[in-house]
Amino acid sequence: MKRSNLCVTQPVETEDIKLSNIKTIAAGVPAITSSVNHMIKELNPKICASTLFSVNQVDGFDCPGCAWPDPDDAEDRSSLGEYCENGVKAIAEEATTERIENSFFEKYSVQELSQWSDYKLGKSGRLTHPMYLPKGKNHYEPVSWEKAFDLIAEELHGLDHPNEAIFYTSGKTTNEAAFVYQLFVRQFGTNNMPDCSNMCHETSGVALSETLGIGKGSVRLEDFYITDLIMIVGQNPGTNHPRMMTALQKAKRAGAKIISVNPLPETGLMRFKHPQSPTDILSSGTQLTDLFLQVKINEDLALFKAILKLLLEKERANPNTIFDHEFIQNKTDGYDELVASLEDVNVAELAQQAGLTLEQVEEAAELIANAKKMIICWAMGITQHKNGVANIQELVNLLLLKGSIGKPGAGTCPVRGHSNVQGDRTMGVWEKLKPELAKNLEKNFDFVPPKEEGYNTVNSIKAMHEGKAKFFFGMGGNFMSATPDTAYTAEALQNCSMTVQVSTKLNRGHLVTGDAALILPCLGRTERDIQASGKQFVSVENSMGVVHQSNGSLEPASNMLMSEVGIVCCLAKAVLENSKTDWLGFMEDYDRIRCAVEKTIPGFKNYNQRVREPGGFYLPNGAREGNFDTNNNKAHLTVNQVPNHQLEAHQYRMMTIRSHDQFNTTIYGLNDRYRGIENGRRVIMMHPDDIKKSGFQKGDYVDLIGYHEGKKRVAPHFMIVEYDIPQQCVATYFPETNILVPIDSYASECKTPASKLVIIELESSNYR
Ligand SMILES: Nc1nc2c(c(=O)[nH]1)N[C@H]1C(S)=C(S)[C@@H](COP(=O)(O)OP(=O)(O)OC[C@H]3O[C@@H](n4cnc5c(=O)[nH]c(N)nc54)[C@H](O)[C@@H]3O)O[C@H]1N2
Ligand SMILES: Nc1nc2c(c(=O)[nH]1)N[C@H]1C(S)=C(S)[C@@H](COP(=O)(O)OP(=O)(O)OC[C@H]3O[C@@H](n4cnc5c(=O)[nH]c(N)nc54)[C@H](O)[C@@H]3O)O[C@H]1N2
Ligand SMILES: [Mo]
């Protein structure tokens, strides 16, 4: 029975949106002011100083923001802490002094709270006590940890089959917690382990594994400083990976060229001032991008195919000057097929399709032709498309033809999102269980793991919607708001008999629930973790395969919080009566977990010792060494189809992106400083000519309408903002428009939701 009167989609809040110009320089003084403001609002001054000094220091905690690596050399790290504006906001959000006490839930029913956006919910403060929402009730009640674990155990034992349970993971979960979590879930008997990666870089994992034999990137930070050319495709580093800007600045100063490919002239891509460098602050910053290619949404394949054709023509005119034939011959296959497929390619047509001039594409080809070593970076603008895998394979084609993989200063750089999303996968969090891991789990833990593939994120939602799954457990994250098709996902979660969330902060996933629900509040990265054997540290893997420790130092938000490791171990103890694993031993001393990882996961030899070394250690990476772990040990060149988008005059390609003041569904504030949008998020960025043609005016409010396979979806009340964006392309913020992303619109190979291309129409807003 669903609870009545619940608002299941993002509520519309009144906003008084103000507009200014798009900024031309990223970071600098405004970044310091903005981060200090956030710190002051959320923290007390003593905490401010001590947290900033220890972020990303070798003995400090890992920034809970993005997965960009820290400089290897401790001396290269700023003594102020290796942090950035958005890292500071992430820390302030977690280390806030605001608390949600039990009286909060007495005061507000879930119906009332469901009228609050994720922004308002997040600002209510840290969760402090385990809470239970019994079936038929409308208020959460405090519950003891013991009772909470018993309730979950009872629910899980009542299922007809372990596959009726789903265990989600968000990418903040540390290696130690992720390892025990997947072990518990598999001992329970299912591989239903969807994770945020399914919605994020899954397409990168698929494309890279298929072509290069490893699902991760191949470059290290030092490669940036010796490369000739960096391409940044479908990524907004100024907002989402601000520490990458320092690396780009250093690369630029060492002589690298930068090409940016993006429908938006993102501020961070253009010009940068290091906020921690006194000389930079006084200057006008470093010009970063040499060539900006303002592609239409999802026309990267058209652009890259045109570039490949131009390179082929140059190579034919001057043999052995552009392509690395020795590398192609020795290390790859598929060259002849790729070349044959390029014969019919019409460069001028593709340039036009991509929304670019022929000259721009030629300029790009020229820069690439002249580069001996190149790096391609990409993120969600490339991965979150139906053809996401093909997009990435085309980038790989370019690198392979140039021999730019497996040598210093060159390679693939999928820039990861969450700070440990890559580590969670390494630890085995995945709906697919690799045979090697299955074998090691069986050998080391004396049980037979399930073989059958589990549900990924999209399949999980469908399974809950269809009643095939009835129990949902979220290890971090905000499954309700981050997933596509909000109204459909809400029905799916409400179909469950129980939903459980391990969380630091309140979010909409705690309000749109199954019949019964539990909130299990946990320690954050910044906080001290004391167990029976003493103070513990945890470890994480960054975007470049470095595993290092993270040491929380702050007083926990409440003495009722448990660590994620502790929660999993106690739960396992309550649920798995016949388990031969010493769960409580794991919880007492995390070194024991790392010993178990060492025996189970390749690359973790001497884990406990090496993770204690300053800066940690690198995991093995075949592609980096030029060894491709594919079916025939060759890297594969592939032939990829350019998508064909047919839009009517009143339709638009909408991408759902992040503002400067958010971390996924955690909304720090209502401003997008770089894009000149203040005090509101319900905006739709449109080309001025499109606004004219639409019959609306800038400042008007419209409803966004999606029709997918005959079903109408509506996201109400968005203000039209004039923006420098290609025609018939529009941008809105995630998660407000997730309601428009159809559950059935995803990358064909792995079901990554196509969040960067939703076809929409506009109607004048009836919202009152
Ligand atoms: N401060 C902050 N940091 C974060 C996050 C956050 O929310 N806030 N999130 C973290 C996570 S989980 C992730 S995955 C990353 C996300 O990092 P990004 O991928 O940078 O995030 P998005 O805002 O989704 O931006 C996508 C970029 O791609 C462009 N784009 C959209 N469609 C296309 C297209 O078809 N082609 C091309 N070439 N470009 C396109 C958009 O204009 C935008 O600049 O950041 C991580 N870091
Ligand atoms: N339309 C659209 N949808 C998208 C995207 C998009 O670009 N467009 N991006 C997708 C991407 S790339 C990603 S990665 C997903 C993100 O999906 P998720 O990872 O599920 O979402 P987050 O917003 O990062 O999760 C925030 C919540 O995590 C909890 N939390 C924070 N820190 C901790 C911690 O240390 N421990 C625990 N246990 N909980 C914690 C807090 O309660 C907070 O409310 O969203 C995806 N959804
Ligand atoms: Mo992500």
Side-chain angles (χ1 to χ4, degrees), residues 168 170 418 478 482 502 505 507 564 656 658 665 738 756:
Y168 174 70
S170 165
H418 268 300
N478 182 355
V502 178
K505 305 282 291 268
N507 65 47
E564 291 181 353
T656 59
R658 292 156 169 80
T665 70
N738 281 37
K756 293 292 185 273

Side-chain angles (χ1 to χ4, degrees), residues 711-733:
K711 188 174 160 193
K712 183 176 177 181
R713 294 171 174 81
V714 184
H717 207 60
F718 285 77
M719 188 175 113
I720 296 182
V721 172
E722 255 185 19
Y723 210 83
D724 182 0
I725 185 170
Q727 290 196 27
Q728 279 197 293
C729 293
V730 296
T732 56
Y733 296 129

Side-chain angles (χ1 to χ4, degrees), residues 197-230:
S197 196
N198 295 149
M199 300 182 265
C200 184
H201 266 292
E202 192 74 63
T203 44
S204 303
V206 171
L208 294 174
S209 304
E210 186 66 24
T211 54
L212 303 176
I214 182 166
K216 305 177 181 183
S218 73
V219 295
R220 293 183 183 177
L221 210 43
E222 67 248 30
D223 293 310
F224 281 77
Y225 312 141
I226 53 168
T227 192
D228 300 328
L229 178 66
I230 302 167

